[in-house]
Amino acid sequence: SGTIYNTTNRQRFGVTVDVEIRAADGAKLGVASDYQKVIEPNAAWEFRALVRERRDAKSGATATITAIRETP
């Protein structure tokens, strides 16, 4: 989970955030994403990208936002 801010004075439509999940040893475990129809001007979006638990995932995993896209 995290927060994305729309710091512009216009609405943003069809926003997708992609989050890459890596194990403590750097191995890529997968990608999670979330979608928001509209982010209002000067507003925040509290996203929650679903991560399915994996048996081979160990503590110390990291999550990094790899992309934020708006549908044109």
Side-chain angles (χ1 to χ4, degrees):
S1 63
T3 307
I4 294 175
Y5 299 93
N6 176 6
T7 59
T8 69
N9 59 0
R10 65 182 184 92
Q11 291 178 315
R12 298 295 185 165
F13 296 96
V15 180
T16 300
V17 60
D18 292 328
V19 180
E20 185 176 84
I21 312 301
R22 291 193 174 267
D25 65 2
K28 185 175 177 179
L29 298 175
V31 176
S33 63
D34 196 5
Y35 174 84
Q36 181 69 21
K37 282 181 161 180
V38 177
I39 304 176
E40 295 297 330
N42 301 303
W45 168 35
E46 301 286 331
F47 71 88
R48 297 174 83 72
L50 178 64
V51 177
R52 294 180 54 178
E53 184 177 344
R54 290 180 50 138
R55 291 184 188 157
D56 59 344
K58 296 184 175 39
S59 64
T62 61
T64 304
I65 294 175
T66 56
I68 301 172
R69 300 183 307 279
E70 181 179 14
T71 303

